[in-house]
Amino acid sequence: MKTTLTERFGIEHPIFSAGMARVAQAELTAAVSNAGGMGCLGGVSFMPEALIAEIEKIDSLTDKPYAINLLLPVSLTTEDEEAWKPVRELWGRLSEDERGKMAGVEALLTKGAVADQVEIVLDTAPAAVSLTFAAPDWFMKECKKRGIATIALAGSLGKAKEYADAGVDFIVAQGTEAGGHTGYVTTMTLVPAVVDAVDVPVIAAGGIADGRGLASALSLGACGAWVGTRFIATPEAYGHDAFKQRVIDGRFQDTDITFSYSGKRMRAFSNEWTEQWASGGSDASFPAQYAVAGTRVETGYQDGDIAEGMMPVGLTLGLVHEMLPAGEVVRRMSAEAAQIIRGLHDRVL
Ligand SMILES: Cc1cc2nc3c(=O)[nH]c(=O)nc-3n(C[C@H](O)[C@H](O)[C@H](O)COP(=O)(O)O)c2cc1C
């Protein structure tokens, strides 16, 4: 397949694996890139030294292009003491044991760690950086200087326009079906609306798990697909087998919208933790809420405690029925989409 996406990066299939915090580490990133798609490292969950090691690992596993995801809202990049106060207070209340379990969110709760991530990523100069929540001007300039493509995730039309004005190279239009932080508009509606509104190539996300999803994305005007949940059920993804199995066995009604992970709107597995949160909660907001729920991330991913863990997941859990190597997911999705597109021509015209 040839689209703006494959042409820009010299890749075979117009498929990105999403930069999922914790889940998308070196193995998944490299496997997707080696299969001719484009892997994306979930960079936000690594403390600076671990991020360097993980990037070295990707480089030892592939010589193909890959991307790295970062979160750069002002609340994480500011040096302002006042802004960090609520985070510090919550962080200070954690026991040693609890801190040991904060691997996935530690960098977001440590003042200066995100700035270090930025420096490391700019020095690495991967083929692309994906951004969520914000595409700050200072960072865009540094990427342009180094020839790093910028990709930004938008869950609304307004956000997509903001990213277009900021000069990003690609916009991911992410529908509410998606796992992780998500908006209100469906993929089917948001993608064509963004395609019409901006003069930037659009990648579709949310609800895409197979060739039918990719073919639909291309029909809606996108130049490729950005896929998260489908890649959880792969041997290369990080996470306990119980978590992956839950994706395979899952039904649509097993996800919920919750603010219990980060303080922002997110689609995740509904379980005892999210229900307990819904009936009680706390008033912590982003990013301080990470210090409230942070230990629960590894409760899910490391310990496989499905009832008490905090695990983002999208509606495609209702479409994922088997564990497959990540490379196989990429190849099948692309081949099936090509077949559908050819078949539609014969069937409809
Ligand atoms: C487990 C998980 C973790 C995620 N973590 C991140 C993240 O750290 N940064 C980010 O930009 N998006 C994150 N996302 C959202 C994905 O980038 C992507 O938009 C979404 O998974 C696409 O929808 P899908 O799950 O239906 O394929 C995450 C999604 C999941 C399922």
Side-chain angles (χ1 to χ4, degrees):
M1 282 194 193
K2 264 201 195 135
T3 72
T4 317
L5 189 65
T6 59
E7 298 283 284
R8 167 74 196 245
F9 297 111
I11 56 177
E12 212 179 322
H13 311 292
I15 300 165
F16 259 96
S17 58
M20 295 175 281
R22 288 311 267 162
V23 173
Q25 302 196 8
E27 285 88 351
L28 180 59
T29 308
V32 170
S33 290
N34 280 333
M38 183 99 156
C40 182
L41 178 71
V44 302
S45 53
F46 292 97
M47 285 296 277
E49 276 181 18
L51 181 59
I52 293 171
E54 207 61 21
I55 290 170
E56 283 171 358
K57 196 165 168 189
I58 302 177
D59 290 336
S60 74
L61 294 171
T62 187
D63 54 5
K64 297 274 168 53
Y66 61 88
I68 303 178
N69 175 246
L70 291 176
L71 302 187
L72 300 180
V74 179
S75 48
L76 293 177
T77 53
T78 181
E79 292 294 314
D80 179 44
E81 265 309 318
E82 262 316 290
W84 276 93
K85 222 163 131 192
V87 178
R88 280 188 188 291
E89 276 169 14
L90 284 163
W91 189 231
R93 271 189 241 152
L94 296 172
S95 67
E96 273 307 304
D97 268 6
E98 285 170 323
R99 281 181 181 226
K101 257 191 144 183
M102 298 292 273
V105 295
E106 195 180 353
L108 300 173
L109 297 171
T110 306
K111 193 175 161 191
V114 171
D116 290 345
Q117 288 176 341
V118 166
E119 210 176 300
I120 293 162
V121 169
L122 290 175
D123 281 350
T124 303
V129 169
S130 85
L131 298 169
T132 315
F133 300 146
D137 198 38
W138 56 267
F139 184 73
M140 296 292 299
K141 282 190 182 128
E142 294 299 328
C143 286
K144 293 249 175 318
K145 244 194 262 171
R146 292 166 172 80
I148 305 171
T150 48
I151 301 170
L153 239 86
S156 71
L157 194 54
K159 201 73 194 169
K161 286 180 183 165
E162 186 187 312
Y163 288 143
D165 290 344
V168 301
D169 296 302
F170 292 88
I171 290 173
V172 176
Q174 188 219 45
T176 188
E177 297 93 321
H181 291 114
T182 192
Y184 296 85
V185 188
T186 61
T187 304
M188 186 79 155
T189 335
L190 185 64
V191 173
V194 174
V195 167
D196 286 348
V198 301
D199 205 11
V200 177
V202 174
I203 304 169
I208 301 170
D210 53 31
R212 294 169 296 185
L214 174 57
S216 311
L218 297 173
S219 306
L220 294 173
C223 61
W226 176 269
V227 182
T229 301
R230 169 59 269 199
F231 285 107
I232 297 174
T234 63
E236 293 90 347
Y238 172 82
H240 200 281
D241 279 347
F243 162 54
K244 298 181 183 183
Q245 194 59 43
R246 177 98 200 269
V247 173
I248 293 167
D249 297 338
R251 301 158 308 159
F252 294 127
Q253 59 268 41
D254 293 340
T255 81
D256 210 351
I257 294 294
T258 177
F259 288 76
S260 62
Y261 186 174
S262 66
K264 286 188 189 284
R265 194 174 191 275
M266 173 177 279
R267 187 178 296 284
F269 271 118
S270 56
N271 61 10
E272 283 167 33
W273 157 247
T274 54
E275 273 164 36
Q276 183 191 323
W277 176 264
S279 58
S282 85
D283 55 3
S285 56
F286 181 90
Q289 178 61 23
Y290 279 124
V292 177
T295 59
R296 301 206 171 246
V297 180
E298 291 312 303
T299 301
Y301 294 156
Q302 239 176 57
D303 307 344
D305 185 340
I306 299 303
E308 294 288 342
M310 181 67 242
M311 295 152 294
V313 74
L315 280 168
T316 59
L317 90 172
L319 295 174
V320 177
H321 306 305
E322 58 179 337
M323 182 87 94
L324 282 177
E328 192 58 25
V329 172
V330 173
R331 285 185 290 268
R332 280 194 197 184
M333 193 180 284
S334 183
E336 194 186 317
Q339 200 181 12
I340 290 169
I341 293 164
R342 272 188 226 108
L344 271 177
H345 179 270
D346 296 342
R347 188 152 57 89
V348 180
L349 298 179

